[in-house]
Amino acid sequence: YESMVENINGYNWNCHFDSFFGAAEEAEWRKEPLYIPDREAMRWDKTHPLEQIRWTQEKNKNCNGHYVNVVKCIKWWRKEKYPDVKHPKSYPLEHFIGDCCPNGIESVAEGITLSLEKIVSDYPVKPYLADRGVPEHDVFARLSDSDYQTFYESVCEAAIIARKAYDADSVHESAKLWRQLFGNKFPEPPQTKDTIFTERKSDSRDIPGGRFA
């Protein structure tokens, strides 16, 4: 399953943050939220990118290094399977996954499955997501109830497939289901003896007697 990550093209946005954040800690002003323009609302909104980075690093550590790839995979699923669904995406989706992915996961597959199931069980209605470092800011503020409902219904379907893939008895069956979830970029399931055959071109005639070697 881990090979999927190698097939999902995307910048590893977490790998270069260590030195950047370490230097930023020395500047007191960088510990405060920043203001960015909201062109649609014609106002300035608070954001705290350094706190978001710190939180992500801590979460990834608590998830045994798998959290970043869980986020990548679920973002890929949303983009690949539902390209016409505008929201949630980007950081709002990442934030939501962070709230739903449990600590202590032992694999990316486990993190994907449990995160999707958490959304299904706990969030049938659009939640308020307090931004990291700016709790008065709702990350889902721009997400409409109807867009969230469309997203939620897609997650319900995906959670069923993910659970079947995670619990599958064979690598072949598991890979087929993950491929169903993530699309054709996911590696094809390995062939088994049952799937390898030669098409018969003629009747079975003139078979010699005696024992086969």
Side-chain angles (χ1 to χ4, degrees):
Y1 174 75
E2 300 294 340
S3 63
M4 177 191 175
V5 175
E6 299 177 2
N7 286 275
I8 296 180
N9 294 324
Y11 185 71
N12 187 351
W13 43 264
N14 196 55
C15 65
H16 299 299
F17 287 158
D18 288 338
S19 58
F20 170 74
F21 188 70
E25 286 182 331
E26 298 177 3
E28 286 296 324
W29 67 268
R30 294 194 179 190
K31 296 180 181 180
E32 299 296 325
L34 304 176
Y35 283 88
I36 59 173
D38 183 337
R39 292 182 176 85
E40 293 182 5
M42 298 185 66
R43 68 186 182 193
W44 291 83
D45 281 340
K46 286 183 179 181
T47 185
H48 204 319
L50 293 182
E51 175 58 21
Q52 293 169 1
I53 292 168
R54 186 208 64 77
W55 191 96
T56 298
Q57 289 180 320
E58 185 69 19
K59 182 67 174 181
N60 198 51
K61 184 187 301 181
N62 292 337
C63 291
N64 297 307
H66 299 303
Y67 169 68
V68 170
N69 287 329
V70 170
V71 172
K72 282 185 176 182
C73 290
I74 295 180
K75 281 186 172 181
W76 174 267
W77 158 79
R78 197 211 67 83
K79 180 180 178 181
E80 179 76 8
K81 305 297 286 189
Y82 300 95
D84 297 329
V85 177
K86 293 183 179 180
H87 301 288
K89 60 181 180 180
S90 189
Y91 177 72
L93 179 56
E94 173 189 325
H95 182 112
F96 197 22
I97 298 167
D99 286 352
C100 295
C101 184
N103 293 336
I105 56 173
E106 297 295 335
S107 68
V108 176
E110 182 184 16
I112 293 169
T113 303
L114 296 181
S115 296
L116 294 174
E117 291 179 338
K118 180 73 171 179
I119 295 173
V120 172
S121 64
D122 289 14
Y123 301 102
V125 178
K126 186 185 77 166
Y128 180 98
L129 299 185
D131 202 353
R132 322 287 185 208
V134 190
E136 66 271 23
H137 175 235
D138 180 10
V139 175
F140 270 0
R142 292 186 180 182
L143 179 64
S144 69
D145 290 337
S146 60
D147 281 348
Y148 181 80
Q149 189 60 36
T150 300
F151 167 74
Y152 179 79
E153 290 171 359
S154 67
V155 171
C156 289
E157 297 174 1
I160 293 172
I161 299 172
R163 172 53 64 183
K164 289 180 179 178
Y166 185 65
D167 290 342
D169 293 330
S170 69
V171 173
H172 185 271
E173 181 63 21
S174 180
K176 280 176 56 180
L177 290 163
W178 287 124
R179 187 176 172 86
Q180 179 184 343
L181 184 65
F182 290 110
N184 293 333
K185 291 294 181 70
F186 192 87
E188 293 187 21
Q191 287 189 325
T192 64
K193 292 182 179 179
D194 293 337
T195 61
I196 302 174
F197 68 94
T198 303
E199 182 180 358
R200 186 165 64 176
K201 301 294 185 181
S202 60
D203 294 337
S204 299
R205 298 176 179 175
D206 302 321
I207 298 177
R211 300 178 61 184
F212 290 102

